[in-house]
Amino acid sequence: GQGGAAVGMTVAKVDVAAVTLFTELWLIDTYAKKAETKRKAVREVWEDMDGTRGLQFTNSVSLPGGFQDRLFESWLTWEESVEADSQKTYIIAWCPIEKYKGTHHKVDGAEKMFEATTKGVYIVKELTKNTCEWTWVQQVDLKISMPARVLDIVAKQHMGWTNRLQEKFRRNGKEVDREKVAALAEAVKERRGVPLMEDQAGVFERCLELLGEEGVEGGWK
């Protein structure tokens, strides 16, 4: 990043149903998450903004090295999509609250902190019934030039949370592998009889040529 802005990306396989990870990420106003962040000077959530599924999340972040706390005011929303193979993908996106044209809530004490902004996206893609892929892309702008070591600390916190969620849902490796095999077998059955696209058929024909008798033109050499 440059100055106080940084962009990070994390991709992780998580041993849990996609919808379960989605709810873990979306429900930020639970008692457990409040307890985890009770040291934050500011942490407020307003749900169902203006009758929509969106929410406002306002929280403060303490920075190392004597830098003044930063206040983030963000708007979040989510979407679900179903792929051609019937697998689901959940997307959570967020941006600075000023990008949202509806209600903006303010908190006491905000004037004592410097403003910072963040925007990003979580993409949770179903792999099998009980496994998913989580992609996390986020930009954070602290609105001040900061030493690289401070940004490194922020990045490590980013990675640390990903690792904790992976551990929370980790299951036996053999069990996960069995589910992947079963999911592939089910997908093969469901796609039986579905014609190949033109480019796929071309690749398939070229591969079959390798199975020709030895010595026959175009066959296996």
Side-chain angles (χ1 to χ4, degrees):
Q2 295 183 346
V7 178
M9 176 176 177
T10 302
V11 180
K13 298 291 193 304
V14 186
D15 297 339
V16 72
V19 67
T20 302
L21 181 58
F22 159 71
T23 56
E24 175 78 19
L25 296 172
W26 178 254
L27 296 176
I28 59 177
D29 201 31
T30 61
Y31 285 107
K33 290 182 179 176
K34 288 178 181 177
E36 291 173 1
T37 56
K38 62 183 179 181
R39 294 183 180 179
K40 289 183 178 291
V42 175
R43 189 187 189 281
E44 296 289 346
V45 179
W46 292 270
E47 298 178 329
D48 304 320
M49 295 279 286
D50 301 313
T52 71
R53 69 178 63 175
L55 62 82
Q56 179 180 335
F57 181 39
T58 298
N59 68 307
S60 61
V61 173
S62 297
L63 301 176
F67 290 94
Q68 190 166 354
D69 288 359
R70 291 306 191 260
L71 185 71
F72 293 87
E73 296 177 292
S74 304
W75 176 73
L76 296 81
T77 191
W78 63 272
E79 184 64 87
E80 176 193 54
S81 65
V82 181
E83 308 301 328
D85 56 7
S86 298
Q87 291 184 319
K88 294 181 178 179
T89 297
Y90 299 91
I91 301 172
I92 298 173
W94 63 93
C95 65
I97 190 64
E98 62 259 25
K99 300 294 184 181
Y100 176 61
K101 299 185 183 299
T103 303
H104 295 182
H105 296 281
K106 291 297 181 182
V107 297
D108 294 335
E111 67 281 355
K112 299 177 182 178
M113 302 178 188
F114 282 122
E115 176 190 3
T117 60
T118 181
K119 59 183 177 180
V121 62
Y122 296 142
I123 302 173
V124 181
K125 181 176 177 57
E126 184 178 27
L127 299 178
T128 70
K129 181 179 179 181
N130 290 308
T131 61
C132 62
E133 180 183 81
W134 173 25
T135 301
W136 174 4
V137 182
Q138 183 172 5
Q139 180 194 66
V140 176
D141 189 352
L142 299 174
K143 304 296 185 181
I144 188 174
S145 181
M146 305 194 71
R149 63 179 180 81
V150 176
L151 295 178
D152 285 344
I153 291 173
V154 174
K156 287 178 181 178
Q157 291 173 345
H158 180 112
M159 287 297 297
W161 188 47
T162 305
N163 293 336
R164 287 194 297 275
L165 275 182
Q166 280 185 301
E167 288 299 321
K168 177 177 180 177
F169 294 113
R170 190 176 300 281
R171 296 183 293 125
N172 180 274
K174 291 183 179 180
E175 179 184 355
V176 173
D177 287 345
R178 282 195 297 269
E179 288 178 358
K180 290 180 179 178
V181 171
L184 177 58
E186 187 63 29
V188 170
K189 287 192 291 184
E190 290 178 356
R191 295 171 188 170
R192 189 175 296 160
V194 177
L196 295 173
M197 297 175 65
E198 184 177 349
D199 58 338
Q200 294 173 329
V203 172
F204 195 69
E205 289 297 326
R206 290 195 294 274
C207 291
L208 286 179
E209 290 178 0
L210 298 175
L211 299 178
E213 294 182 8
E214 185 175 356
V216 176
E217 183 178 356
W220 180 263
K221 305 294 185 183

